[in-house]
PDB file of all heavy atoms in Angstrom:
ATOM      1  N   HIS A   1       3.326   3.029  -7.548  1.00  0.00           N
ATOM      2  CA  HIS A   1       3.189   4.089  -6.551  1.00  0.00           C
ATOM      3  C   HIS A   1       1.963   3.826  -5.674  1.00  0.00           C
ATOM      4  O   HIS A   1       0.860   3.674  -6.190  1.00  0.00           O
ATOM      5  CB  HIS A   1       3.054   5.437  -7.244  1.00  0.00           C
ATOM      6  CG  HIS A   1       2.816   6.565  -6.306  1.00  0.00           C
ATOM      7  ND1 HIS A   1       3.800   7.049  -5.477  1.00  0.00           N
ATOM      8  CD2 HIS A   1       1.695   7.280  -6.037  1.00  0.00           C
ATOM      9  CE1 HIS A   1       3.297   8.030  -4.743  1.00  0.00           C
ATOM     10  NE2 HIS A   1       2.028   8.189  -5.074  1.00  0.00           N
ATOM     11  N   PRO A   2       2.108   3.754  -4.356  1.00  0.00           N
ATOM     12  CA  PRO A   2       0.950   3.473  -3.489  1.00  0.00           C
ATOM     13  C   PRO A   2       0.135   4.730  -3.222  1.00  0.00           C
ATOM     14  O   PRO A   2       0.691   5.812  -3.019  1.00  0.00           O
ATOM     15  CB  PRO A   2       1.595   2.948  -2.207  1.00  0.00           C
ATOM     16  CG  PRO A   2       2.927   3.633  -2.157  1.00  0.00           C
ATOM     17  CD  PRO A   2       3.372   3.780  -3.588  1.00  0.00           C
ATOM     18  N   MET A   3      -1.183   4.597  -3.184  1.00  0.00           N
ATOM     19  CA  MET A   3      -2.060   5.686  -2.808  1.00  0.00           C
ATOM     20  C   MET A   3      -2.025   5.838  -1.281  1.00  0.00           C
ATOM     21  O   MET A   3      -1.724   4.879  -0.552  1.00  0.00           O
ATOM     22  CB  MET A   3      -3.489   5.411  -3.282  1.00  0.00           C
ATOM     23  CG  MET A   3      -3.576   5.152  -4.793  1.00  0.00           C
ATOM     24  SD  MET A   3      -2.950   6.535  -5.777  1.00  0.00           S
ATOM     25  CE  MET A   3      -4.304   7.704  -5.582  1.00  0.00           C
ATOM     26  N   PRO A   4      -2.320   7.040  -0.745  1.00  0.00           N
ATOM     27  CA  PRO A   4      -2.250   7.267   0.703  1.00  0.00           C
ATOM     28  C   PRO A   4      -3.073   6.280   1.519  1.00  0.00           C
ATOM     29  O   PRO A   4      -2.611   5.783   2.552  1.00  0.00           O
ATOM     30  CB  PRO A   4      -2.774   8.695   0.853  1.00  0.00           C
ATOM     31  CG  PRO A   4      -2.447   9.354  -0.439  1.00  0.00           C
ATOM     32  CD  PRO A   4      -2.611   8.293  -1.482  1.00  0.00           C
ATOM     33  N   ALA A   5      -4.301   5.982   1.057  1.00  0.00           N
ATOM     34  CA  ALA A   5      -5.148   5.052   1.816  1.00  0.00           C
ATOM     35  C   ALA A   5      -4.524   3.662   1.848  1.00  0.00           C
ATOM     36  O   ALA A   5      -4.611   2.948   2.845  1.00  0.00           O
ATOM     37  CB  ALA A   5      -6.546   4.990   1.204  1.00  0.00           C
ATOM     38  N   ALA A   6      -3.873   3.284   0.728  1.00  0.00           N
ATOM     39  CA  ALA A   6      -3.221   1.976   0.682  1.00  0.00           C
ATOM     40  C   ALA A   6      -2.025   1.934   1.623  1.00  0.00           C
ATOM     41  O   ALA A   6      -1.790   0.935   2.310  1.00  0.00           O
ATOM     42  CB  ALA A   6      -2.775   1.675  -0.755  1.00  0.00           C
ATOM     43  N   GLU A   7      -1.268   3.035   1.672  1.00  0.00           N
ATOM     44  CA  GLU A   7      -0.113   3.090   2.574  1.00  0.00           C
ATOM     45  C   GLU A   7      -0.538   2.962   4.025  1.00  0.00           C
ATOM     46  O   GLU A   7       0.102   2.258   4.819  1.00  0.00           O
ATOM     47  CB  GLU A   7       0.648   4.401   2.371  1.00  0.00           C
ATOM     48  CG  GLU A   7       1.557   4.403   1.159  1.00  0.00           C
ATOM     49  CD  GLU A   7       2.543   5.556   1.191  1.00  0.00           C
ATOM     50  OE1 GLU A   7       2.105   6.698   1.418  1.00  0.00           O
ATOM     51  OE2 GLU A   7       3.730   5.311   0.999  1.00  0.00           O
ATOM     52  N   ARG A   8      -1.625   3.658   4.374  1.00  0.00           N
ATOM     53  CA  ARG A   8      -2.085   3.610   5.767  1.00  0.00           C
ATOM     54  C   ARG A   8      -2.501   2.191   6.146  1.00  0.00           C
ATOM     55  O   ARG A   8      -2.145   1.684   7.214  1.00  0.00           O
ATOM     56  CB  ARG A   8      -3.243   4.589   5.971  1.00  0.00           C
ATOM     57  CG  ARG A   8      -2.810   6.040   6.067  1.00  0.00           C
ATOM     58  CD  ARG A   8      -3.929   6.907   6.616  1.00  0.00           C
ATOM     59  NE  ARG A   8      -5.031   7.025   5.681  1.00  0.00           N
ATOM     60  CZ  ARG A   8      -5.134   8.006   4.789  1.00  0.00           C
ATOM     61  NH1 ARG A   8      -4.174   8.917   4.684  1.00  0.00           N
ATOM     62  NH2 ARG A   8      -6.166   8.082   3.983  1.00  0.00           N
ATOM     63  N   LEU A   9      -3.296   1.536   5.266  1.00  0.00           N
ATOM     64  CA  LEU A   9      -3.768   0.185   5.565  1.00  0.00           C
ATOM     65  C   LEU A   9      -2.604  -0.794   5.635  1.00  0.00           C
ATOM     66  O   LEU A   9      -2.572  -1.669   6.504  1.00  0.00           O
ATOM     67  CB  LEU A   9      -4.776  -0.266   4.498  1.00  0.00           C
ATOM     68  CG  LEU A   9      -5.397  -1.651   4.702  1.00  0.00           C
ATOM     69  CD1 LEU A   9      -6.158  -1.699   6.027  1.00  0.00           C
ATOM     70  CD2 LEU A   9      -6.333  -1.998   3.546  1.00  0.00           C
ATOM     71  N   ALA A  10      -1.633  -0.640   4.736  1.00  0.00           N
ATOM     72  CA  ALA A  10      -0.473  -1.529   4.757  1.00  0.00           C
ATOM     73  C   ALA A  10       0.326  -1.350   6.040  1.00  0.00           C
ATOM     74  O   ALA A  10       0.768  -2.322   6.653  1.00  0.00           O
ATOM     75  CB  ALA A  10       0.412  -1.253   3.534  1.00  0.00           C
ATOM     76  N   GLY A  11       0.492  -0.087   6.461  1.00  0.00           N
ATOM     77  CA  GLY A  11       1.234   0.169   7.690  1.00  0.00           C
ATOM     78  C   GLY A  11       0.560  -0.424   8.898  1.00  0.00           C
ATOM     79  O   GLY A  11       1.218  -0.942   9.815  1.00  0.00           O
ATOM     80  N   GLU A  12      -0.775  -0.371   8.926  1.00  0.00           N
ATOM     81  CA  GLU A  12      -1.524  -0.911  10.058  1.00  0.00           C
ATOM     82  C   GLU A  12      -1.396  -2.431  10.151  1.00  0.00           C
ATOM     83  O   GLU A  12      -1.588  -3.011  11.227  1.00  0.00           O
ATOM     84  CB  GLU A  12      -3.009  -0.529   9.933  1.00  0.00           C
ATOM     85  CG  GLU A  12      -3.268   0.961  10.094  1.00  0.00           C
ATOM     86  CD  GLU A  12      -4.688   1.333   9.706  1.00  0.00           C
ATOM     87  OE1 GLU A  12      -5.438   0.435   9.266  1.00  0.00           O
ATOM     88  OE2 GLU A  12      -5.040   2.527   9.837  1.00  0.00           O
ATOM     89  N   ASN A  13      -1.077  -3.078   9.029  1.00  0.00           N
ATOM     90  CA  ASN A  13      -1.001  -4.535   9.005  1.00  0.00           C
ATOM     91  C   ASN A  13       0.420  -5.052   8.765  1.00  0.00           C
ATOM     92  O   ASN A  13       0.615  -6.214   8.422  1.00  0.00           O
ATOM     93  CB  ASN A  13      -1.938  -5.089   7.920  1.00  0.00           C
ATOM     94  CG  ASN A  13      -3.398  -4.891   8.254  1.00  0.00           C
ATOM     95  OD1 ASN A  13      -3.997  -5.686   8.966  1.00  0.00           O
ATOM     96  ND2 ASN A  13      -3.983  -3.804   7.747  1.00  0.00           N
ATOM     97  N   ASN A  14       1.420  -4.162   8.946  1.00  0.00           N
ATOM     98  CA  ASN A  14       2.830  -4.551   8.813  1.00  0.00           C
ATOM     99  C   ASN A  14       3.143  -5.190   7.464  1.00  0.00           C
ATOM    100  O   ASN A  14       3.826  -6.202   7.365  1.00  0.00           O
ATOM    101  CB  ASN A  14       3.231  -5.507   9.948  1.00  0.00           C
ATOM    102  CG  ASN A  14       3.117  -4.867  11.309  1.00  0.00           C
ATOM    103  OD1 ASN A  14       3.476  -3.704  11.473  1.00  0.00           O
ATOM    104  ND2 ASN A  14       2.616  -5.603  12.276  1.00  0.00           N
ATOM    105  N   ILE A  15       2.601  -4.581   6.413  1.00  0.00           N
ATOM    106  CA  ILE A  15       2.813  -5.085   5.062  1.00  0.00           C
ATOM    107  C   ILE A  15       3.758  -4.144   4.314  1.00  0.00           C
ATOM    108  O   ILE A  15       3.646  -2.923   4.430  1.00  0.00           O
ATOM    109  CB  ILE A  15       1.479  -5.194   4.303  1.00  0.00           C
ATOM    110  CG1 ILE A  15       0.645  -6.348   4.877  1.00  0.00           C
ATOM    111  CG2 ILE A  15       1.690  -5.398   2.806  1.00  0.00           C
ATOM    112  CD1 ILE A  15      -0.719  -6.458   4.273  1.00  0.00           C
ATOM    113  N   ILE A  16       4.708  -4.721   3.561  1.00  0.00           N
ATOM    114  CA  ILE A  16       5.573  -3.915   2.708  1.00  0.00           C
ATOM    115  C   ILE A  16       4.780  -3.580   1.452  1.00  0.00           C
ATOM    116  O   ILE A  16       4.584  -4.427   0.569  1.00  0.00           O
ATOM    117  CB  ILE A  16       6.854  -4.684   2.357  1.00  0.00           C
ATOM    118  CG1 ILE A  16       7.608  -5.053   3.636  1.00  0.00           C
ATOM    119  CG2 ILE A  16       7.751  -3.841   1.447  1.00  0.00           C
ATOM    120  CD1 ILE A  16       8.809  -5.939   3.401  1.00  0.00           C
ATOM    121  N   VAL A  17       4.303  -2.368   1.372  1.00  0.00           N
ATOM    122  CA  VAL A  17       3.339  -2.002   0.344  1.00  0.00           C
ATOM    123  C   VAL A  17       3.922  -2.121  -1.063  1.00  0.00           C
ATOM    124  O   VAL A  17       3.210  -2.402  -2.025  1.00  0.00           O
ATOM    125  CB  VAL A  17       2.805  -0.577   0.604  1.00  0.00           C
ATOM    126  CG1 VAL A  17       3.868   0.469   0.354  1.00  0.00           C
ATOM    127  CG2 VAL A  17       1.579  -0.296  -0.257  1.00  0.00           C
ATOM    128  N   SER A  18       5.256  -1.941  -1.203  1.00  0.00           N
ATOM    129  CA  SER A  18       5.869  -2.008  -2.531  1.00  0.00           C
ATOM    130  C   SER A  18       5.805  -3.406  -3.130  1.00  0.00           C
ATOM    131  O   SER A  18       6.012  -3.586  -4.327  1.00  0.00           O
ATOM    132  CB  SER A  18       7.321  -1.542  -2.453  1.00  0.00           C
ATOM    133  OG  SER A  18       8.074  -2.392  -1.609  1.00  0.00           O
ATOM    134  N   GLN A  19       5.536  -4.417  -2.309  1.00  0.00           N
ATOM    135  CA  GLN A  19       5.466  -5.788  -2.815  1.00  0.00           C
ATOM    136  C   GLN A  19       4.029  -6.263  -3.039  1.00  0.00           C
ATOM    137  O   GLN A  19       3.788  -7.447  -3.231  1.00  0.00           O
ATOM    138  CB  GLN A  19       6.194  -6.732  -1.850  1.00  0.00           C
ATOM    139  CG  GLN A  19       7.676  -6.398  -1.738  1.00  0.00           C
ATOM    140  CD  GLN A  19       8.453  -7.427  -0.949  1.00  0.00           C
ATOM    141  OE1 GLN A  19       8.084  -8.598  -0.912  1.00  0.00           O
ATOM    142  NE2 GLN A  19       9.524  -6.999  -0.305  1.00  0.00           N
ATOM    143  N   VAL A  20       3.087  -5.320  -3.007  1.00  0.00           N
ATOM    144  CA  VAL A  20       1.689  -5.629  -3.309  1.00  0.00           C
ATOM    145  C   VAL A  20       1.418  -5.295  -4.773  1.00  0.00           C
ATOM    146  O   VAL A  20       1.854  -4.257  -5.266  1.00  0.00           O
ATOM    147  CB  VAL A  20       0.742  -4.825  -2.400  1.00  0.00           C
ATOM    148  CG1 VAL A  20      -0.721  -5.061  -2.796  1.00  0.00           C
ATOM    149  CG2 VAL A  20       0.957  -5.193  -0.941  1.00  0.00           C
ATOM    150  N   SER A  21       0.728  -6.158  -5.469  1.00  0.00           N
ATOM    151  CA  SER A  21       0.398  -5.931  -6.875  1.00  0.00           C
ATOM    152  C   SER A  21      -0.605  -4.800  -6.993  1.00  0.00           C
ATOM    153  O   SER A  21      -1.655  -4.817  -6.352  1.00  0.00           O
ATOM    154  CB  SER A  21      -0.170  -7.214  -7.507  1.00  0.00           C
ATOM    155  OG  SER A  21       0.783  -8.260  -7.465  1.00  0.00           O
ATOM    156  N   GLY A  22      -0.309  -3.816  -7.828  1.00  0.00           N
ATOM    157  CA  GLY A  22      -1.184  -2.665  -8.004  1.00  0.00           C
ATOM    158  C   GLY A  22      -2.077  -2.810  -9.215  1.00  0.00           C
ATOM    159  O   GLY A  22      -1.620  -3.191 -10.299  1.00  0.00           O
ATOM    160  N   SER A  23      -3.363  -2.502  -9.052  1.00  0.00           N
ATOM    161  CA  SER A  23      -4.309  -2.605 -10.164  1.00  0.00           C
ATOM    162  C   SER A  23      -4.774  -1.250 -10.650  1.00  0.00           C
ATOM    163  O   SER A  23      -5.595  -1.151 -11.554  1.00  0.00           O
ATOM    164  CB  SER A  23      -5.542  -3.431  -9.734  1.00  0.00           C
ATOM    165  OG  SER A  23      -6.226  -2.786  -8.668  1.00  0.00           O
ATOM    166  N   GLY A  24      -4.238  -0.180 -10.053  1.00  0.00           N
ATOM    167  CA  GLY A  24      -4.625   1.155 -10.455  1.00  0.00           C
ATOM    168  C   GLY A  24      -3.898   1.609 -11.710  1.00  0.00           C
ATOM    169  O   GLY A  24      -3.075   0.870 -12.285  1.00  0.00           O
ATOM    170  N   PRO A  25      -4.190   2.833 -12.170  1.00  0.00           N
ATOM    171  CA  PRO A  25      -3.530   3.368 -13.367  1.00  0.00           C
ATOM    172  C   PRO A  25      -2.016   3.355 -13.195  1.00  0.00           C
ATOM    173  O   PRO A  25      -1.490   3.783 -12.168  1.00  0.00           O
ATOM    174  CB  PRO A  25      -4.076   4.801 -13.461  1.00  0.00           C
ATOM    175  CG  PRO A  25      -5.364   4.768 -12.704  1.00  0.00           C
ATOM    176  CD  PRO A  25      -5.151   3.781 -11.597  1.00  0.00           C
ATOM    177  N   GLY A  26      -1.293   2.850 -14.203  1.00  0.00           N
ATOM    178  CA  GLY A  26       0.156   2.806 -14.128  1.00  0.00           C
ATOM    179  C   GLY A  26       0.679   1.872 -13.049  1.00  0.00           C
ATOM    180  O   GLY A  26       1.815   2.019 -12.594  1.00  0.00           O
TER     181      GLY A  26
END
């Protein structure tokens, strides 16, 4: 699950956020 700040940064850089490795809880 992406955090809001991560979603915003990914959108600004045309990145599909679901394909980024997450290091947060869960």
Side-chain angles (χ1 to χ4, degrees):
H1 176 72
M3 304 301 285
E7 281 195 311
R8 283 195 291 268
L9 182 60
E12 292 169 357
N13 291 276
N14 298 319
I15 289 175
I16 301 174
V17 70
S18 62
Q19 297 188 28
V20 175
S21 299
S23 62

